[in-house]
């Protein structure tokens, strides 16, 4: 078969939108608690913001630059934009239908109300007037638009009022002004109670609208309506010619704030004259316009999640469980005894932080080396590295400054690390350092020993509670040598011709995966057992997809657990009949990358930092590392089996690229994430029972 045939590939942007529809499904699912449904609405909107800022803006740039080559599915950038517009307009319509027809009425049954200004009691009106005068009014800045004051540069994603005012002269056009809704105070405001059982809220912009005329004394306000701009973040950083990479990235961050508008959201009842005015000033087309009936910017529901008293409307908290292997034991001694696998967030990430803290304080530790891609705002990981440097350890940190939307945070941490005495390196020119590696060099009685931690996810203590990832501790010399060599590549001029255990992109990771797929193909053709299971965030790479199609044709059974984008089309007769693609969207974001190859009943299993995308293979430093111990291999195989047996949150891709939930009839109810949590919890509780931790 012609494996380049465009009908065998799904467009990556439309596949991503299909993923975001699965997120929206969680908001629509009445089995989920109400506050969780609101959170999924917020996630859907946050995802769309980034999609427009990055992916849509990239397509716009390609068209403007005349680089409009079709993608593997045969769609040109212009065709993609047209399909995206249709799909997103439909998605936004479903979002607001879900909010107003389902979630808000259900909240009202719980006596939680969102009021408009006209619904307020006299007591509440007095409250809002006082709040406006004392807090809101001093912050507001109305900006007139006329010949001497052009349309201002407005912040990306800010809520802004467009105000139309009556002209002083009858023969002149109406006046216009804009005013940003403040972001320095909460947007959702709780009102004084009218009844003890009720909780009532109002939106900040509704209060502002009621008092808006007070900001334009002497003028008659004719109309006012909200709008929101999403700006392009598609800027290139010239690393080759940049004399100072940090300064170049700081310029990029500033540019991003004022990028070209790629989406304009407006209140549905905005007047035609105001719409025309905005379209002209912002240079947006009708297909870039989104008329919203309701609250603009659904990411506001993240704020509502933080209000107290709604615990009964949320999922029960699943607190990460301590790692029993490390309890009441020396952490280095434990790793010497055996390799350890961690499954976050079910297993606590705190053991990684403890490992770093112990290394920072241990007089026998000589050096620490670590890669950082995304870290939290108050990172205990970075604090431990700084403490280690202050204690005289040699600390080397490879900080990826180009981690999109985390650049500013990473620059701040890089400077603090340098001030603490760490050696800070920014990786290789033209490549993002996306691998997750930590190396501790320790002087022991008999030798210098290297302790290694590798992971499928970032060294971020915040996301480690929200993302599913797998971590791995070892002190095997083969791994130690490889990770030492990797850091030499990242910080110096080393060129490695071969590795003991790991595989590295862009030097050969794609080649290794294709060879493993082809081995399964050969085994299937020879009548030997052949199977592939791969778990990842996205599958886009055309070479990998072609190799999977060939393996499927040969009879290899292939299960792909792909959370987000999947450009491979499963279930196509005579091509991908042996391929099953599934996706799980649940309370934790599925983030781990696992590659399983049957290898004639001698499975080869790899954990990795890389998805199967061109950027991971060609433009990033990534690593895949093998899991070889029998018990750990069995543990990972069990993880994959449980994931594939999910009947609650698993969706299956159909040949048309759409997804459907599992037919649950006659099947046991299995929520894989809850199964993983209960297994981790049981291990911890059993440990307590068997030790003095359990008390009497």
């Amino acid at each position: 078969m012609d494996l380049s045939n465009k009908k065998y590939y799904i467009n990556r942007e439309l596949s991503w939108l299909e993923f975001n529809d699965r997120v929206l499904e969680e908001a629509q699912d009445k089995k989920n608690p109400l506050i969780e449904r609101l959170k999924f609405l917020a996630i859907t909107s946050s995802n769309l913001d980034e999609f427009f800022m990055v992916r849509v803006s990239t397509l716009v740039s390609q068209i403007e630059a005349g680089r409009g080559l079709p993608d593997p599915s045969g769609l040109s950038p212009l065709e993609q934009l047209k399909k995206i517009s249709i799909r997103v307009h439909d998605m936004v319509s479903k979002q607001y239908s879900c909010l107003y027809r389902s979630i808000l009425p259900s909240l009202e049954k719980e006596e939680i109300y969102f009021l408009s200004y006209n619904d307020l009691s006299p007591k509440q009106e007095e409250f809002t007037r006082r709040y406006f005068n004392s807090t809101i009014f001093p912050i507001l800045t109305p900006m007139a638009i006329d010949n001497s004051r052009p349309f201002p540069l407005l912040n990306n994603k800010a809520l802004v009022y467009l105000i139309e005012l009556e002209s002083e002269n009858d023969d002149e056009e109406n006046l216009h002004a804009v005013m940003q809704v403040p972001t320095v105070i909460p947007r959702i405001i709780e009102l004084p109670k009218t009844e003890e059982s009720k909780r009532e809220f109002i939106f900040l912009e509704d209060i502002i609208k009621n008092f808006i005329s007070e900001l334009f004394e002497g003028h008659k306000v004719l109309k006012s309506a909200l709008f929101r701009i999403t700006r392009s973040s598609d800027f290139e950083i010239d690393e080759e010619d940049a004399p100072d990479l940090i300064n170049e990235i700081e310029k990029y961050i500033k540019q991003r704030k004022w990028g070209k508008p790629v989406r304009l959201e407006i209140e549905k009842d905005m007047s035609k004259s105001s719409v025309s005015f905005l379209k002209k000033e912002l240079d947006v087309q009708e297909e870039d316009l989104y008329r919203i009936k309701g609250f603009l910017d659904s990411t506001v529901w993240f704020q509502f999640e933080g209000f107290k008293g709604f615990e009964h409307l949320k999922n029960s908290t699943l607190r990460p469980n301590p790692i029993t292997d490390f309890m009441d034991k020396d952490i280095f001694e434990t790793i010497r005894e055996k390799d350890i696998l961690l499954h976050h967030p079910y297993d606590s990430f705190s053991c990684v932080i403890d490992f770093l803290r112990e290394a920072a304080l241990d007089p026998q530790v000589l050096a620490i080396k670590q890669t950082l891609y995304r870290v939290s705002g108050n990172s205990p990981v970075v604090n431990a590295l700084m403490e280690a440097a202050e204690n005289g350890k040699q600390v080397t940190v490879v900080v990826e400054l180009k981690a999109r939307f985390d650049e500013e945070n990473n620059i701040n941490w890089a400077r603090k690390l340098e001030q603490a005495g760490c050696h800070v390196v920014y990786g290789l020119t033209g490549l993002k350092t996306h691998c997750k590696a930590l190396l501790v060099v320790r002087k022991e009685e008999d030798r210098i020993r290297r302790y290694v931690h590798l992971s499928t996810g970032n060294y971020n203590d915040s996301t480690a509670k929200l993302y599913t990832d797998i971590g791995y501790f070892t002190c095997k010399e083969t791994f130690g040598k490889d990770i030492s060599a990797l850091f030499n590549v990242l910080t110096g001029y080393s060129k490695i011709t071969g590795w003991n255990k790991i595989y590295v992109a862009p030097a050969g990771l794609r080649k290794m995966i294709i060879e493993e797929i082809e081995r399964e193909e050969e085994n299937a053709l020879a009548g030997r057992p052949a199977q592939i299971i791969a778990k990842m965030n996205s599958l886009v790479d055309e070479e990998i997809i072609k190799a999977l199609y060939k393996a499927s044709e040969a009879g290899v059974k292939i299960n792909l657990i792909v959370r987000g984008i999947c450009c491979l089309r499963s279930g196509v007769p005579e091509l991908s009949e042996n391929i099953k693609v599934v996706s799980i969207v649940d309370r934790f974001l599925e983030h781990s990358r696992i590659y399983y190859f049957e290898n004639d009943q001698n499975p080869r299993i790899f954990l990795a930092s890389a998805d199967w995308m061109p950027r991971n293979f060609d433009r990033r430093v990534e690593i895949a590392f093998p899991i070889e111990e029998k018990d750990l291999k069995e543990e990972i195989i069990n993880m994959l089996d449980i994931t594939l047996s999910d009947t609650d949150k698993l969706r299956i891709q159909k040949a048309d690229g759409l997804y459907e939930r599992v037919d649950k009839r006659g099947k046991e109810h299995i929520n894989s994430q809850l199964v993983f949590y209960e297994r981790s919890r049981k291990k911890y509780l059993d440990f307590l029972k068997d030790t003095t931790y359990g008390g009497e």
Side-chain angles (χ1 to χ4, degrees), residues 201-243:
F201 300 85
I202 191 169
F203 278 77
L204 173 62
E205 61 267 27
D206 204 9
I207 298 176
I208 293 171
K209 186 166 188 173
N210 186 71
F211 295 106
I212 212 161
S213 59
E214 296 186 15
L215 289 124
F216 298 94
E217 290 187 17
H219 290 83
K220 182 180 179 182
V221 175
L222 300 174
K223 304 160 187 170
S224 61
L226 283 169
F227 68 95
R228 181 175 184 260
I229 306 165
T230 312
R231 296 185 180 276
S232 168
S233 293
D234 184 37
F235 297 102
E236 295 292 330
I237 298 173
D238 186 357
E239 294 182 64
E240 294 284 354
D241 297 327

Side-chain angles (χ1 to χ4, degrees), residues 147-207:
N147 291 335
S148 63
R149 292 170 288 189
F151 196 92
L153 279 170
L154 299 168
N155 288 344
N156 183 33
K157 300 189 292 183
L159 276 183
V160 184
Y161 265 112
L162 176 65
I163 303 109
E164 199 169 333
L165 305 122
E166 188 175 66
S167 173
E168 294 176 352
N169 301 314
D170 293 340
D171 58 342
E172 292 182 2
E173 292 183 357
N174 290 333
L175 304 173
H176 289 94
V178 294
M179 184 168 63
Q180 184 172 316
V181 175
T183 57
V184 291
I185 54 177
R187 189 176 159 201
I188 299 176
I189 299 155
E190 186 159 11
L191 293 160
K193 289 186 176 183
T194 53
E195 297 177 27
E196 188 56 37
S197 59
K198 282 187 179 180
R199 294 189 68 176
E200 296 173 317
F201 300 85
I202 191 169
F203 278 77
L204 173 62
E205 61 267 27
D206 204 9
I207 298 176

Side-chain angles (χ1 to χ4, degrees), residues 18-36:
E18 180 65 20
F19 155 69
N20 209 38
D21 241 358
R22 298 196 289 278
V23 178
L24 178 55
E25 279 182 13
E26 291 300 306
Q28 296 167 319
D29 190 343
K30 293 181 180 179
K31 295 194 295 294
N32 288 328
L34 282 170
I35 302 300
E36 303 299 332

Side-chain angles (χ1 to χ4, degrees), residues 96-293:
Y96 282 90
S97 174
C98 173
L99 177 65
Y100 283 97
R101 294 186 179 183
S102 182
I103 296 178
L104 291 183
S106 298
L107 285 171
E108 289 179 0
K109 290 178 182 177
E110 298 288 337
E111 298 204 88
I112 299 166
Y113 299 86
F114 290 88
L115 305 183
S116 65
Y117 199 87
N118 295 333
D119 298 326
L120 301 184
S121 69
K123 180 181 177 182
Q124 291 169 335
E125 277 191 38
E126 178 58 28
F127 167 82
T128 55
R129 173 168 285 282
R130 287 200 313 269
Y131 187 69
F132 177 80
N133 289 330
S134 66
T135 304
I136 303 172
F137 183 83
I139 303 171
L140 295 174
T141 306
M143 292 178 281
I145 301 165
D146 53 34
N147 291 335
S148 63
R149 292 170 288 189
F151 196 92
L153 279 170
L154 299 168
N155 288 344
N156 183 33
K157 300 189 292 183
L159 276 183
V160 184
Y161 265 112
L162 176 65
I163 303 109
E164 199 169 333
L165 305 122
E166 188 175 66
S167 173
E168 294 176 352
N169 301 314
D170 293 340
D171 58 342
E172 292 182 2
E173 292 183 357
N174 290 333
L175 304 173
H176 289 94
V178 294
M179 184 168 63
Q180 184 172 316
V181 175
T183 57
V184 291
I185 54 177
R187 189 176 159 201
I188 299 176
I189 299 155
E190 186 159 11
L191 293 160
K193 289 186 176 183
T194 53
E195 297 177 27
E196 188 56 37
S197 59
K198 282 187 179 180
R199 294 189 68 176
E200 296 173 317
F201 300 85
I202 191 169
F203 278 77
L204 173 62
E205 61 267 27
D206 204 9
I207 298 176
I208 293 171
K209 186 166 188 173
N210 186 71
F211 295 106
I212 212 161
S213 59
E214 296 186 15
L215 289 124
F216 298 94
E217 290 187 17
H219 290 83
K220 182 180 179 182
V221 175
L222 300 174
K223 304 160 187 170
S224 61
L226 283 169
F227 68 95
R228 181 175 184 260
I229 306 165
T230 312
R231 296 185 180 276
S232 168
S233 293
D234 184 37
F235 297 102
E236 295 292 330
I237 298 173
D238 186 357
E239 294 182 64
E240 294 284 354
D241 297 327
D244 186 322
L245 183 58
I246 286 186
N247 287 341
E248 198 68 22
I249 291 172
E250 286 176 328
K251 286 181 196 173
Y252 157 77
I253 294 168
K254 290 176 184 176
Q255 275 183 302
R256 186 166 66 197
K257 292 178 181 177
W258 316 119
K260 174 184 170 63
V262 289
R263 176 179 59 166
L264 175 61
E265 298 167 279
I266 62 170
E267 286 189 297
K268 194 166 188 177
D269 59 359
M270 180 181 279
S271 68
K272 288 183 179 179
S273 59
S274 292
V275 174
S276 298
F277 177 79
L278 276 180
K279 286 170 69 176
K280 180 183 175 184
E281 292 292 338
L282 296 170
D283 189 25
V284 296
Q285 306 305 310
E286 183 64 29
E287 57 266 27
D288 305 321
L289 194 62
Y290 290 79
R291 292 175 168 84
I292 306 297
K293 187 177 181 181

Side-chain angles (χ1 to χ4, degrees), residues 549-563:
Y549 281 153
K550 286 180 66 182
S552 171
E553 288 177 310
V556 180
K557 181 184 176 184
I558 302 171
N559 282 293
L560 302 173
I561 307 163
V562 186
R563 185 194 80 223

Side-chain angles (χ1 to χ4, degrees), residues 335-384:
I335 298 169
R336 285 197 301 273
E337 289 173 358
K338 63 175 183 177
D339 291 356
I340 294 169
L341 207 63
L342 310 168
H343 195 188
H344 309 300
Y346 320 106
D347 298 335
S348 176
F349 184 75
S350 63
C351 65
V352 179
I353 298 166
D354 292 341
F355 176 65
L356 267 171
R357 286 174 175 159
E358 287 290 322
L361 297 171
D362 190 336
Q364 292 177 259
V365 169
L366 306 177
I368 302 172
K369 301 183 183 186
Q370 187 168 14
T371 60
L372 294 181
Y373 189 75
R374 298 187 196 276
V375 293
S376 62
N378 184 27
S379 172
V381 170
V382 177
N383 288 329

